Amino acid sequence: MRVLLLAAFIASAVAAPSALAAPFQCQVDEVAKHCDDLIKENLENLPGFVRLAFHDCVGGNGCNGCLDLSNGDNAGMEVYMDRLEDKYDENKIQDVMSRADFWVLCSHVAINSGAKFVTDADSLQLNMKFGRQDCNADDPDQTAPTDKYPSPHGTYAMTTDFFNKEFGLTVNETVALIGAHTLGRARKEDSGFSNQWVDGEYTFDNAFYRDILDASLDWVQVDLDGNDNDTDHLQWSQNKTGEAVNMMLTADMCLAFDIESDASKKENRGYDELGDSPGKTLVEIYAESNKIWLADFSVAYTKMVEKTPNIQLMAAQPDGENAPCKAPGATTPSSSSTLFPSFLLCIAAVMITKLF
């Protein structure tokens, strides 16, 4: 019996995952190059990586490198997960950081890439920290209790309440964070909504706020389902003809306007009849100043990606004489991850000898 208990102890000790030490900055830079390569290969990865980080961080477990692909709200995320997973495995990035850290790092690279040539880009300050733990080291597709995402039909109160409960964001930080919709587009086959939010979907600037306030764009609410009795996919579109039009969700428009809407009711008022929501003043500030928005967004986004219950995140270690400035996978595993189980095995060997 003692031998069986000891064997179980050894097996559990050797199999138990050990947290990685914070990587050195040179290692982070090497990994970031892989993120950048993927973005250069396909610009759709730029908004895709940012959206993936958001989807990953929603839910009680926080940012943990896993998504439940059976959840319809995560439709469209699998392609970005697969592209990142290929890089993660091919380059042995797991020797340096968790998958969850890799996803967040790639979202930082994407945002910085989108802001590279915008006005006041230096106001964007995304400080990366490490130590997130994956829900499963082998497979990022994990079925879990269904995470609840914000309603695309949300009012100002509904939307700001969601982000406060989910990430601890203030109402102002919520208004700043949703400006990330300046990147990318919605796809009908994934979400039921369609088209990009703004012109220049790979540029990270304050165009989102400018467009919300621009009455000359002739915003009208349209039902993509084409059935007034089934209005699950109401969106605000620019009233153009003969070309694809930009759009806003109700949850976007509500940042500036008091929209009385839910998933089963179409707004009876036109754009020019809408009253102001409590967030309109801040939308006006962001529309005028990219500098202010980028600074506020940095704070809000950092709070979102640092949602890691019961885990203390760490900054990268500064490079020094002992920094292993090599590509991930080319270094010897750290003593913290390999010597401890070996030490246990030595003790176990001694104990077994005494037992017999």
Side-chain angles (χ1 to χ4, degrees), residues 193-221:
F193 299 95
S194 183
N195 293 325
Q196 61 191 20
W197 277 263
V198 302
D199 293 333
E201 60 181 297
Y202 306 122
T203 300
F204 195 72
D205 66 6
N206 59 345
F208 172 82
Y209 302 100
R210 297 197 304 268
D211 280 9
I212 287 178
L213 299 175
D214 190 349
S216 71
L217 295 177
D218 296 328
W219 290 106
V220 293
Q221 197 176 34

Side-chain angles (χ1 to χ4, degrees), residues 58-303:
V58 167
N61 295 320
C63 316
N64 65 350
C66 293
L67 280 188
D68 179 5
L69 293 177
S70 67
N71 182 344
D73 285 332
N74 290 325
M77 292 294 101
E78 186 173 9
V79 62
Y80 306 113
M81 293 168 63
D82 288 345
R83 289 168 185 171
L84 289 174
E85 192 69 7
D86 287 345
K87 284 286 186 184
Y88 191 71
D89 289 339
E90 290 170 5
N91 297 282
K92 301 184 185 302
I93 295 172
Q94 62 268 25
D95 293 348
V96 174
M97 64 184 68
S98 67
R99 179 190 298 110
D101 284 342
F102 182 49
W103 285 7
V104 171
L105 178 62
C106 284
S107 79
H108 281 203
V109 172
I111 292 169
N112 282 311
S113 180
K116 189 176 295 183
F117 301 111
V118 304
T119 304
D120 295 313
D122 58 349
S123 296
L124 182 66
Q125 298 291 327
L126 301 177
N127 297 315
M128 181 71 194
K129 289 187 177 180
F130 300 87
R132 298 167 186 81
Q133 294 182 9
D134 299 332
C135 74
N136 186 305
D138 298 321
D139 185 5
D141 177 12
Q142 293 293 308
T143 301
T146 303
D147 293 327
K148 301 295 184 181
Y149 293 89
S151 169
H153 302 285
T155 62
Y156 180 83
M158 291 167 59
T159 302
T160 55
D161 183 63
F162 172 89
F163 283 92
N164 176 256
K165 291 179 177 177
E166 190 67 35
F167 301 114
L169 299 188
T170 66
V171 290
N172 286 6
E173 287 168 343
T174 296
V175 175
L177 183 69
I178 294 177
H181 276 169
T182 197
L183 294 174
R185 63 174 55 235
R187 290 180 170 80
K188 196 166 185 179
E189 62 269 25
D190 293 331
S191 65
F193 299 95
S194 183
N195 293 325
Q196 61 191 20
W197 277 263
V198 302
D199 293 333
E201 60 181 297
Y202 306 122
T203 300
F204 195 72
D205 66 6
N206 59 345
F208 172 82
Y209 302 100
R210 297 197 304 268
D211 280 9
I212 287 178
L213 299 175
D214 190 349
S216 71
L217 295 177
D218 296 328
W219 290 106
V220 293
Q221 197 176 34
V222 297
D223 178 11
L224 296 190
D225 296 325
N227 182 350
D228 287 338
N229 295 320
D230 180 13
T231 53
D232 286 342
H233 299 107
L234 289 169
Q235 69 180 41
W236 291 80
S237 295
Q238 295 174 15
N239 189 21
K240 299 177 181 177
T241 58
E243 58 182 301
V245 296
N246 297 342
M247 70 92 183
M248 293 283 171
L249 301 172
T250 295
D252 300 316
M253 281 294 192
C254 78
L255 300 181
F257 300 109
D258 179 23
I259 297 177
E260 301 169 3
S261 179
D262 59 35
S264 61
K265 183 175 68 175
K266 191 171 182 178
E267 176 61 58
N268 292 321
R269 297 168 295 170
Y271 175 87
D272 58 351
E273 299 174 299
L274 298 174
D276 295 346
S277 79
K280 186 173 185 180
T281 298
L282 194 56
V283 171
E284 291 172 335
I285 291 172
Y286 292 157
E288 287 292 325
S289 175
N290 201 49
K291 181 176 182 178
I292 294 175
W293 172 60
L294 288 174
D296 288 358
F297 174 86
S298 300
V299 174
Y301 195 78
T302 297
K303 288 179 73 170

